[in-house]
Amino acid sequence: MLLVPRMRKLSIIVASLLSILFIISFATSDPIQESFVQCLEQHAQPNISSVIYTPNNSSFPAVLQTYIRNLRFNESTTRKPFLILTALDVSHIQAAVICAKVYALQMKIRSGGHDYEGVSYVSEVPFFILDLFNLRSINVNIAEETAWVQVGATLGEVYYRIAEKSNVHAFPAGVCPTVGVGGHFSGGGYGNMMRKYGLSVDNIVDAQIIDVNGRVLDRAAMGEDLFWAITGGGGSSFGVLLAYKINLVRVPPKVTVFQVERTYEQNATYLVRRWQEIADKLDDDIFIRMIIDVINSTRTREKTIRSNFFTLFLGDSVRLLSLLNESFPELGLQQKDCIEMSWAESVVYYTSFPLGTPVNVLLSRVPQVLTHLKRKSDYLKKPMPIEGIEFIFKKMIELQTPVLTFNPYGGRMAEIASSAKPFPHRAGNIAKIQYAANWNENGVETAEHYINLTRALYTYMTPFVSKFPREAFLNYRDLDLGINHNGKNSFLEGTVYGIKYFKENFNRLVKVKTLVDPDNFFRNEQSIPVFPHGK
């Protein structure tokens, strides 16, 4: 029984030694590195030399670290790329694909660096990073109510450029403004307007991708199957995404936000139960996110539970109060709790900036918080019983660190077919659950401690969430669900996590992958595999 773990440890040690030797060989400018760089220069126009960073370049650490959004993957022990290419031009990307194939090198594609497991900039094998943060143009057309957005743009930049031209247009996507468009859109993309307008991918009408042969394809050229795959199935399994064309949505000139907190002593148990009964059935204009965490009681100074009801309403406070007094009177919402503002201001508010912060803060690429983190996800199909909620509260107080966030479904999310996009989690879900742990200390042992706390809470929630499969959200990347080593068992390994992320859509994604990238060039630890030969 001990043989497998020992062999696994041995294989990891061997792989690490090979990787170190590989990086050393590149860092010392051996002929392989020179040949690879020459290949890039030969195939790229304009000159690519100025955007190639090797470990010998003094800017290499800064370029690598600027878009690392999870400090778990910025340790001295974290495996580093042997080269970073910060593409400025389509030809730079085409050259990267061509040359990586010639030299059989793994290419990691990074747009914003927010992937929770560092999949876009860390690998267990020798690799280089194709960094797309320079490709950030945003062209908003209010007359057509559309925009073309390059993948290196951030969500904050997209929101600002829309608001710059209109106070009654918006786009349904995430609440963190420093997230890159590439990973967010291609993996589904959701935010606090999803009950009204669905996911980001439900509002994408065209795209541009560079395929494994270096061709630039739009929706018409790539065909509907590939377009379907890159609108929810993740882009990095199929090619290098360049840009998305999005449909803007309408919002009122004034929206309303509020945050209402209730502790365990203030009947949080009942409110959490009641939220689960009604959150997916509220008016589509109402999105109430519920966040449960552990705090020190102001009365007893002991640990207690807090539930925070964090809301965006697409309308004024008078209508909001009327709706909630009817459907959720237990919350006790009052006029003084409500704040009216523009949609763009609500984005700033939802990101926890102080009230009154100028909207141009959305243009900043510096995250408000930079920390070590672990995330997991689940889907809630039916309300948890009161005893179950009490059980989870007790376990959260024991664990202290992990936070639970419930994002309500229903509305538009329940109307779209589960096969319309690779993202399958539609009707039948009350909410998506996020498990979150953040910590500030460095070190692998410290990380393992906090990761295990998160895993423990996830285990305690098992009786109350989806089953067969236990579902998960691709954009909440979680390597606990399975890792693909992209070898001869790639399809079987991919099925383990693929069914959880995509359910019945997984086989269609594999079919598309097999057609467009049969040699599995675009691969990572949780990429879509190809069918085994002969299948």
Side-chain angles (χ1 to χ4, degrees):
M1 293 295 291
L2 293 174
L3 185 60
V4 172
R6 283 177 179 169
M7 288 181 68
R8 186 170 181 270
K9 285 182 179 178
L10 181 61
S11 67
I12 291 171
I13 292 169
V14 171
S16 298
L17 289 172
L18 288 171
S19 180
I20 290 167
L21 290 171
F22 191 88
I23 291 171
I24 289 172
S25 72
F26 271 89
T28 53
S29 295
D30 77 354
I32 302 174
Q33 183 191 38
E34 291 177 5
S35 298
F36 184 67
V37 171
Q38 285 171 6
C39 180
L40 292 173
E41 291 173 340
Q42 178 185 346
H43 289 90
Q45 296 295 331
N47 192 295
I48 197 173
S49 302
S50 62
V51 292
I52 295 174
Y53 297 86
T54 68
N56 293 331
N57 188 308
S58 60
S59 299
F60 179 86
V63 173
L64 174 62
Q65 294 170 21
T66 296
Y67 288 92
I68 291 179
R69 301 296 186 236
N70 184 350
L71 295 183
R72 272 173 62 201
F73 305 110
N74 197 26
E75 302 269 11
S76 59
T77 53
T78 306
R79 186 170 282 105
K80 307 297 188 291
F82 68 80
L83 180 148
I84 305 170
L85 174 61
T86 60
L88 286 169
D89 185 79
V90 168
S91 71
H92 295 169
I93 300 170
Q94 292 168 319
V97 172
I98 292 166
C99 297
K101 286 164 63 180
V102 168
Y103 289 91
L105 298 173
Q106 184 168 24
M107 180 172 75
K108 289 300 186 92
I109 308 164
R110 182 165 74 170
S111 62
H114 272 271
D115 50 330
Y116 288 145
E117 297 282 18
V119 166
S120 65
Y121 53 86
V122 176
S123 180
E124 290 300 311
V125 298
F127 70 106
F128 74 99
I129 295 174
L130 173 63
D131 210 322
L132 303 175
F133 67 85
N134 285 317
L135 301 179
R136 59 173 78 175
S137 74
I138 302 164
N139 294 308
V140 178
N141 187 328
I142 294 298
E144 291 185 1
E145 297 186 300
T146 61
W148 270 104
V149 182
Q150 285 191 312
V151 294
T154 64
L155 298 185
E157 290 166 348
V158 174
Y159 299 152
Y160 183 83
R161 296 305 172 199
I162 295 170
E164 193 176 39
K165 294 194 173 184
S166 169
N167 70 342
V168 293
H169 287 88
F171 187 70
V175 301
C176 181
T178 56
V179 167
V181 160
H184 186 75
F185 284 10
S186 69
Y190 86 97
N192 54 19
M193 291 196 293
M194 68 174 172
R195 300 192 65 252
K196 179 74 171 182
Y197 292 116
L199 305 175
S200 301
V201 291
D202 298 325
N203 299 276
I204 290 172
V205 293
D206 205 345
Q208 293 177 332
I209 187 172
I210 295 179
D211 73 359
V212 72
N213 298 310
R215 299 175 300 176
V216 180
L217 308 173
D218 64 5
R219 181 175 182 172
M222 74 178 80
E224 288 304 298
D225 283 340
L226 180 52
F227 180 74
W228 175 85
I230 62 172
T231 51
S236 59
S237 291
F238 304 96
V240 182
L241 267 297
L242 291 175
Y244 281 103
K245 186 179 183 182
I246 60 176
N247 270 339
L248 307 184
V249 302
R250 295 290 186 98
V251 292
K254 291 292 180 184
V255 302
T256 306
V257 296
F258 72 75
Q259 288 191 69
V260 171
E261 297 179 358
R262 299 287 186 264
T263 63
Y264 183 78
E265 295 78 12
Q266 295 170 311
N267 211 14
T269 307
Y270 175 70
L271 287 175
V272 168
R273 166 69 185 191
R274 185 68 184 137
W275 181 95
Q276 294 179 21
E277 291 172 340
I278 56 94
D280 63 319
K281 302 173 185 67
L282 295 171
D283 187 283
D284 293 1
D285 289 335
I286 304 175
F287 179 92
I288 304 179
R289 170 179 278 182
M290 181 172 67
I291 306 167
I292 303 172
D293 62 357
V294 177
I295 60 168
N296 292 317
S297 169
T298 54
R299 187 171 58 83
T300 66
R301 298 297 175 187
E302 295 181 353
K303 298 295 180 185
T304 190
I305 290 292
R306 172 177 62 181
S307 55
N308 181 0
F309 300 90
F310 198 4
T311 299
L312 171 70
F313 174 65
L314 299 174
D316 60 42
S317 58
V318 174
R319 181 166 170 254
L320 173 61
L321 282 163
S322 174
L323 288 168
L324 285 190
N325 284 339
E326 181 181 335
S327 56
F328 197 12
E330 300 87 350
L331 187 60
L333 184 69
Q334 300 178 41
Q335 179 66 53
K336 65 181 176 64
D337 299 318
C338 301
I339 311 168
E340 293 183 353
M341 56 182 62
S342 71
W343 172 77
E345 289 169 335
S346 80
V347 175
V348 175
Y349 176 83
Y350 230 89
T351 315
S352 300
F353 282 104
L355 209 58
T357 301
V359 173
N360 64 5
V361 73
L362 296 174
L363 297 176
S364 172
R365 288 185 164 233
V366 180
Q368 282 170 275
V369 178
L370 197 56
T371 185
H372 306 70
L373 59 90
K374 174 64 181 178
R375 301 288 187 266
K376 297 178 75 66
S377 62
D378 255 328
Y379 281 88
L380 185 72
K381 304 285 188 180
K382 59 183 181 179
M384 298 165 63
I386 289 290
E387 317 84 72
I389 295 170
E390 290 280 358
F391 169 76
I392 292 301
F393 283 0
K394 178 185 175 185
K395 292 303 181 183
M396 288 184 73
I397 287 173
E398 289 176 10
L399 299 170
Q400 295 192 21
T401 302
V403 175
L404 288 179
T405 299
F406 291 73
N407 295 284
Y409 274 39
R412 183 73 182 127
M413 290 296 291
E415 296 168 359
I416 299 171
S418 61
S419 60
K421 296 292 180 183
F423 177 97
H425 317 289
R426 303 290 189 168
N429 290 295
I430 294 172
K432 173 169 69 243
I433 305 171
Q434 183 191 74
Y435 303 77
N438 296 345
W439 62 97
N440 293 318
E441 310 94 88
N442 292 325
V444 174
E445 287 186 7
T446 301
E448 202 62 24
H449 167 73
Y450 286 104
I451 291 169
N452 283 336
L453 293 180
T454 315
R455 289 169 177 159
L457 183 56
Y458 180 81
T459 300
Y460 293 137
M461 284 289 288
T462 302
F464 313 115
V465 295
S466 61
K467 299 171 179 63
F468 312 116
R470 186 170 182 174
E471 300 168 31
F473 177 38
L474 179 65
N475 274 357
Y476 287 178
R477 184 82 70 177
D478 180 8
L479 294 185
D480 292 350
L481 302 180
I483 292 177
N484 203 323
H485 300 89
N486 293 296
K488 63 180 181 178
N489 294 320
S490 175
F491 176 73
L492 292 176
E493 289 178 341
T495 301
V496 173
Y497 55 82
I499 295 297
K500 296 171 184 176
Y501 286 136
F502 305 112
K503 298 173 67 178
E504 65 277 2
N505 294 330
F506 176 67
N507 275 352
R508 183 178 171 189
L509 285 168
V510 176
K511 183 179 178 181
V512 176
K513 168 72 171 182
T514 305
L515 285 171
V516 303
D517 183 21
D519 296 322
N520 196 26
F521 170 74
F522 294 107
R523 63 194 184 277
N524 59 51
E525 290 76 4
Q526 283 192 342
S527 54
I528 302 297
V530 298
F531 280 125
H533 291 302
K535 183 161 182 176

